[in-house]
Amino acid sequence: MSYDFSHFGSRVFNDRVMRDKLSKGTYLSLRRSIDEGHPLEPAVAEVVASAMKDWAVEQGATHFTHWFQPMTTFTAGKHDSFIAPTKEGLGILEFSGKELIVGEPDASSFPSGGLRNTFEARGYTSWDCTSPAFVREGTLYIPTAFYAYTGEALDTKTPLLRSNEAVNKQALRVLRAFGNTQATRVSPTVGAEQEYFLIDREKYEQRLDLKLCGRTLFGARPAKGQEMEDHYCGRIRLRVRQFMRDLDEALWELGVPCKTEHNEAAPAQHELAPVFEAVNVACDHNQLTMEVIREVAKKNGLACLLHEKPFQGVNGSGKHNNWSLSTNDGQNLLDPGKTPYENMQFLVFLSAVISAVDDYADLLRMSAANAGNDFRLGGHEAPPGIISIYLGEQLTDVLEHIAHGDVVDQTPSGILETGVATLPKLPRDGSDRNRTSPFAFTGNKFEFRMVGSSASVAISSYVLNTIVADALCKIADRLERCTDFDAEIQKIVQETVRDHGRIIFNGNNYTDEWVEEAARRGLPNLHNTVDAITAMIAPKNIAVMERHHVMSSAECHSRYEIMLENYCKILNIEAATMCEMSRRQILPAAIRFTGGLAESFSSLKAAGIENRSVRDLAQLLSDDISEADRLTGELERALERCAESADLLENARYHRDCIRRLMEKLREVADRMEKFVAASEWPIPTYADLLYRV
């Protein structure tokens, strides 16, 4: 079956549809709002709403929803029908400009970190016209921001939109200093690579931990993991290939430009990567991608796992946030061109990124923090909790030469010789790729590799936007008042290397030597989520958010509280699930099997056969049963004590240091029993079943 590529974006109220459905004046007015941020006039909103409704009905829509992104990592929206009754008892379809622009969900029913109380329920959703509406499953989805009655942000989109304005304002100031008057807008762009696992749906339904927690809480290491390195970019299994075809078609209809798909390093792990888009649209599309992946997987008899570490002993999943800055006149401001040593504008923007990441490394680390990511970061499959920048030797050399006032070697990077006559000679890139770096320059963008697979890329994106805007603001101040422009640029580069060069590291971030070296350089090493969360309310970090009107102090504190609460809630759910599986599945199975061994030993002994192996195995399992029972009881009592502390940070530390430690001990005993209990008696699918049965 061939796919009709004219269907790409067929479910999206995109520019092509707007041109077709709107008058020229209305279209241009809406485009000004989208491109330049002008408020949408009420009369224009009425016309747009009517056209959008008519188009959506043509697509089979009967309802509309304000689609927003509360601080839950999921999306939300209440669905209203277009139908309105008439006096004659008939039904007509209505959709007003007001319904398009503003909605009113219950703000107190979503995480607010103290910004809303139960008796202060009013919240608003406001149409974000910079991200296109789309039709899905008979409903018109309207991307919106979500904020409280007081105007405070209750979502991830609002700070992102504010940060877009901040970086646009400061980047334009720098461009004007360089004499660029053509560009009128600078927009961050993002390409969010999405990693995920696919397992058989039937096996998934038999695992309570996967259903409630998204990861396996028990599971012994299988005979084969990823040590053969044969899964990465290998042959895609037929069942997975069909899933990927269906996923492509579903996403393409929604205008999501997914392009690359392949097997990842771990068995049953895969990756999808889209074409770069404006950051706001890219974040919406990634949220949509996560939802569609789950649905398409289910339709194909599969289950999609987006947790950062679903399986112990094999690689976890991340979401690489590829970030850059582009102008509306076609420039990528992080593209060094063929001669980066001559491209001073590029070096100034590069200096801004370097200084921003060094000054706010803790804030950037916080943007990738969650309970699941703690299993992945620093595990020789993802960067450690130390922020550093990889530039590559050539670019680092250019910066250092400029910083020291030396003449830069302008020798081109050369030709890549393969030694095979029939293969073409290829131009060698200016730098290698460093897969161990958390923040790597990859030619014309930075790849932030720390972000977890289940997370919203909006958080890391608005942090990046804000801190780079702050660095550009300082540079613009200097360039606007300097008397010798070229000399000032050289000073900026020199001071960047001198004051922030410690953040540049081109080596292997996975080694213990780098951890020691980073400590000598004074770089923060935030090992876990609880430590990283505190960066959200550090005075300097609140100050930068307030300075650029991205978040207020109250909004920063709300995120801090929500992240701590989420951490505790996730570990509570996991620990409670573990106790239930231990009591109702694992212990009964182990007891039954051990009882059978005891009966066999007694029967053999009565027949005059003394089999010590049966006796020893029964004794080993009996000891493990006693230990698992003891640890389960200890974990249950520890959970009861969790509610005793009203201090959020203290409670989060208790979960990290006590609850998680007990969970690890219980898992160790249960996984040991799995290796000795007969496969027919073990109550849950094993790792071999989950990873190799698709």
Side-chain angles (χ1 to χ4, degrees):
M1 184 183 74
S2 62
Y3 179 78
D4 183 356
F5 287 94
S6 66
H7 289 169
F8 183 86
S10 61
R11 294 281 183 171
V12 184
F13 194 74
N14 52 27
D15 190 77
R16 176 182 57 79
V17 176
M18 290 190 292
R19 283 179 179 273
D20 182 51
K21 300 292 184 182
L22 301 173
S23 68
K24 183 176 180 180
T26 301
Y27 168 77
L28 292 175
S29 180
L30 179 57
R31 282 284 5 151
R32 280 193 295 271
S33 296
I34 295 171
D35 299 333
E36 302 172 22
H38 294 305
L40 194 66
E41 298 175 5
V44 173
E46 284 293 338
V47 176
V48 173
S50 178
M52 193 181 288
K53 179 257 296 176
D54 291 344
W55 169 81
V57 170
E58 291 172 5
Q59 299 291 320
T62 57
H63 290 68
F64 68 93
T65 182
H66 274 204
W67 187 59
F68 58 99
Q69 298 168 30
M71 292 178 282
T72 59
T73 74
F74 297 100
T75 63
K78 61 178 182 179
H79 296 222
D80 292 296
S81 71
F82 289 122
I83 197 164
T86 66
K87 292 180 180 179
E88 294 79 16
L90 302 175
I92 59 172
L93 301 181
E94 289 185 349
F95 185 52
S96 67
K98 182 179 179 181
E99 288 174 310
L100 169 62
I101 292 175
V102 180
E104 190 178 325
D106 184 346
S108 66
S109 297
F110 293 97
S112 72
L115 294 177
R116 294 272 81 189
N117 295 302
T118 303
F119 63 92
E120 297 172 323
R122 193 181 297 276
Y124 296 106
T125 50
S126 178
W127 179 34
D128 169 23
C129 63
T130 65
S131 184
F134 55 92
V135 169
R136 182 170 170 236
E137 297 171 343
T139 299
L140 170 65
Y141 281 72
I142 303 163
T144 58
F146 178 42
Y147 53 92
Y149 180 70
T150 53
E152 291 159 319
L154 297 174
D155 62 351
T156 57
K157 180 184 279 282
T158 302
L160 179 64
L161 294 174
R162 294 171 181 169
S163 72
N164 285 347
E165 292 304 314
V167 76
N168 169 62
K169 177 181 177 181
Q170 303 307 330
L172 284 177
R173 288 179 63 201
V174 173
L175 289 178
R176 296 292 180 264
F178 273 94
N180 183 331
T181 58
Q182 299 300 313
T184 58
R185 186 138 192 109
V186 174
S187 301
T189 59
V190 159
E193 303 171 42
Q194 180 69 58
E195 295 176 342
Y196 59 94
F197 280 81
L198 287 177
I199 62 172
D200 183 79
R201 189 84 197 179
E202 185 179 348
K203 301 288 190 296
Y204 167 86
E205 293 290 346
Q206 295 171 31
R207 298 262 332 201
L208 186 65
D209 48 4
L210 287 177
K211 291 173 69 176
L212 297 186
C213 309
R215 75 178 182 99
T216 54
L217 301 174
F218 299 103
R221 182 181 177 86
K224 179 186 177 184
Q226 63 186 69
E227 58 270 26
M228 294 303 295
E229 300 173 333
D230 56 346
H231 191 259
Y232 184 67
C233 289
R235 182 186 68 82
I236 299 174
R237 298 174 187 176
L238 294 177
R239 194 173 173 191
V240 175
R241 168 51 61 193
Q242 183 58 53
F243 155 83
M244 287 182 172
R245 285 198 192 98
D246 294 346
L247 178 63
D248 283 342
E249 293 187 12
L251 290 175
W252 287 341
E253 282 190 346
L254 295 170
V256 181
C258 52
K259 186 173 180 68
T260 303
E261 54 199 18
H262 60 83
N263 292 347
E264 253 301 331
Q269 188 185 31
H270 310 279
E271 181 179 303
L272 178 148
V275 177
F276 283 72
E277 300 178 280
V279 62
N280 183 38
V281 176
C283 291
D284 282 0
H285 279 172
N286 183 250
Q287 290 284 358
L288 192 55
T289 295
M290 290 192 287
E291 293 180 13
V292 174
I293 283 180
R294 290 190 184 99
E295 292 177 3
V296 173
K298 190 172 184 178
K299 290 176 182 177
N300 280 270
L302 301 168
C304 171
L305 306 179
L306 291 172
H307 193 281
E308 285 73 20
K309 192 74 168 179
F311 302 102
Q312 186 171 281
V314 298
N315 278 13
S317 298
K319 181 181 296 177
H320 305 158
N321 187 354
N322 294 278
W323 180 91
S324 191
L325 291 172
S326 297
T327 68
N328 61 344
D329 67 342
Q331 292 186 74
N332 181 338
L333 298 177
L334 292 179
D335 187 347
K338 295 181 180 179
T339 55
Y341 43 84
E342 294 176 351
N343 189 345
M344 299 309 290
Q345 179 179 286
F346 160 74
L347 291 174
V348 165
F349 277 91
L350 179 65
S351 296
V353 175
I354 292 170
S355 59
V357 172
D358 185 35
D359 286 339
Y360 298 100
D362 58 339
L363 189 60
L364 192 57
R365 167 68 179 91
M366 179 281 306
S367 74
N370 65 44
N373 224 11
D374 281 357
F375 293 102
R376 171 178 163 264
L377 296 180
H380 284 207
E381 61 189 82
I386 306 166
I387 295 289
S388 65
I389 295 176
Y390 168 81
L391 292 181
E393 292 180 6
Q394 184 186 36
L395 197 50
T396 303
D397 188 58
V398 168
L399 287 177
E400 289 179 349
H401 275 80
I402 293 173
H404 294 97
D406 300 333
V407 176
V408 180
D409 179 11
Q410 299 186 10
T411 304
S413 57
I415 299 297
L416 183 65
E417 295 284 357
T418 63
V420 180
T422 56
L423 295 181
K425 294 182 178 181
L426 303 172
R428 187 190 303 273
D429 287 322
S431 67
D432 203 344
R433 290 184 63 200
N434 189 330
R435 294 180 60 82
T436 73
S437 176
F439 199 76
F441 184 72
T442 56
N444 59 5
K445 61 185 177 357
F446 279 96
E447 182 179 18
F448 186 35
R449 298 176 61 86
M450 270 190 174
V451 183
S453 51
S454 68
S456 166
V457 287
I459 300 171
S460 57
S461 296
Y462 72 63
V463 168
L464 270 171
N465 291 352
T466 305
I467 63 178
V468 172
D470 194 65
L472 289 172
C473 179
K474 294 172 185 175
I475 290 173
D477 287 344
R478 293 177 62 171
L479 295 179
E480 287 169 354
R481 62 172 180 255
C482 71
T483 55
D484 188 332
F485 189 77
D486 291 346
E488 192 65 30
I489 289 176
Q490 182 151 348
K491 282 183 184 178
I492 289 168
V493 176
Q494 288 174 336
E495 291 170 13
T496 298
V497 174
R498 182 193 69 200
D499 300 338
H500 304 287
R502 65 174 187 164
I503 200 74
I504 300 171
F505 178 66
N506 294 327
N508 185 353
N509 294 68
Y510 289 174
T511 65
D512 294 336
E513 289 78 11
W514 165 236
V515 176
E516 296 170 4
E517 170 64 20
R520 283 193 292 271
R521 296 187 185 191
L523 299 178
N525 185 0
L526 301 172
H527 297 278
N528 56 74
T529 290
V530 178
D531 290 343
I533 289 171
T534 57
M536 189 71 256
I537 56 170
K540 71 177 181 67
N541 296 337
I542 292 177
V544 73
M545 289 292 176
E546 290 193 315
R547 191 156 55 245
H548 296 282
H549 310 290
V550 175
M551 284 196 292
S552 66
S553 176
E555 289 170 328
C556 289
H557 277 87
S558 75
R559 271 70 183 167
Y560 167 77
E561 291 189 14
I562 289 168
M563 290 180 76
L564 288 176
E565 286 178 350
N566 282 347
Y567 182 85
C568 295
K569 289 174 180 176
I570 288 169
L571 262 68
N572 252 281
I573 293 169
E574 289 184 348
T577 303
M578 208 169 196
C579 290
E580 182 173 348
M581 292 178 71
S582 176
R583 292 279 185 221
R584 302 183 64 187
Q585 293 181 301
I586 291 172
L587 283 173
I591 291 168
R592 280 194 304 271
F593 182 70
T594 306
L597 286 174
E599 289 179 5
S600 297
F601 177 75
S602 298
S603 299
L604 289 169
K605 189 174 182 181
I609 302 172
E610 187 77 22
N611 193 313
R612 294 182 179 180
S613 297
V614 176
R615 182 196 63 190
D616 292 346
L617 179 55
Q619 185 60 58
L620 183 150
L621 284 170
S622 179
D623 292 343
D624 280 346
I625 288 168
S626 297
E627 180 66 2
D629 179 64
R630 184 188 69 79
L631 287 168
T632 303
E634 192 173 341
L635 184 55
E636 288 166 340
R637 290 187 292 275
L639 283 172
E640 292 173 0
R641 291 193 296 271
C642 288
E644 294 176 6
S645 174
D647 183 273
L648 282 173
L649 183 57
E650 180 184 326
N651 201 18
R653 286 171 175 161
Y654 176 79
H655 280 79
R656 178 194 64 192
D657 300 334
C658 179
I659 299 295
R660 180 156 278 179
R661 178 180 57 83
L662 287 170
M663 291 173 64
E664 290 168 355
K665 287 184 176 181
L666 177 55
R667 174 172 189 154
E668 183 181 349
V669 177
D671 290 357
R672 187 165 62 238
M673 288 193 292
E674 180 187 329
K675 295 177 181 178
F676 295 103
V677 174
S680 60
E681 297 290 332
W682 195 247
I684 56 178
T686 65
Y687 269 27
D689 296 326
L690 296 169
L691 295 173
Y692 297 102
R693 294 291 187 270
V694 173

